[in-house]
Amino acid sequence: NRAGSRHDSRTRLVALNYPSAAQAAGDLGGIEYSRGKAAVTIGLSTITYRKDATVLIIAAGEGKAPMVSDALTAPTSEAVPASALRVLEGARFLVSRGAAKLLPHRRAEHLRAERGKLKLE
């Protein structure tokens, strides 16, 4: 889900914006094939429907560091869609060292203490 996605959003068809098309270009054969395409996105409401579900959020590389930091430390908001996932008891954030680069603490218990219910392993 991209920034601005409502926390009550359902699974839906979305038009790829330029950043999403550029990111998908390598898998789709180039930007000329990914521009103007649509994709199915699983809405946050769909993901969080089962409060006892296990949800894995995986991020790798320094390019994901700002999103990971915001998802785990910023206030819950629609500007940071993944922030809606950390309230789930079964949420697990699996991140590479690069993706964790901007986190204020590297140890899960420090983040857990700061954000309440947050569970990291």
Side-chain angles (χ1 to χ4, degrees), residues 5-27:
S5 293
R6 295 176 47 98
H7 289 182
D8 63 354
S9 63
R10 299 296 221 172
T11 299
R12 64 206 180 278
L13 190 64
V14 295
L16 292 179
N17 60 13
Y18 185 80
S20 296
Q23 197 168 33
D27 294 327

Side-chain angles (χ1 to χ4, degrees), residues 33-111:
Y33 297 106
S34 61
R35 290 180 74 187
K37 300 292 186 214
V40 173
T41 188
I42 301 173
L44 294 167
S45 178
T46 304
I47 296 168
T48 60
Y49 179 76
R50 291 280 312 258
K51 301 302 180 201
D52 62 341
T54 298
V55 178
L56 298 177
I57 300 93
I58 301 170
E62 289 184 14
K64 296 294 182 183
M67 284 73 78
V68 168
S69 178
D70 287 347
L72 297 175
T73 63
T76 302
S77 75
E78 290 179 358
V80 183
S83 67
L85 304 176
R86 67 176 176 230
V87 300
L88 294 174
E89 192 68 27
R92 298 293 183 263
F93 288 77
L94 307 173
V95 300
S96 69
R97 287 187 190 277
K101 182 179 180 177
L102 299 178
L103 293 175
H105 301 288
R106 298 272 178 159
R107 299 187 55 88
E109 59 269 16
H110 296 143
L111 285 168

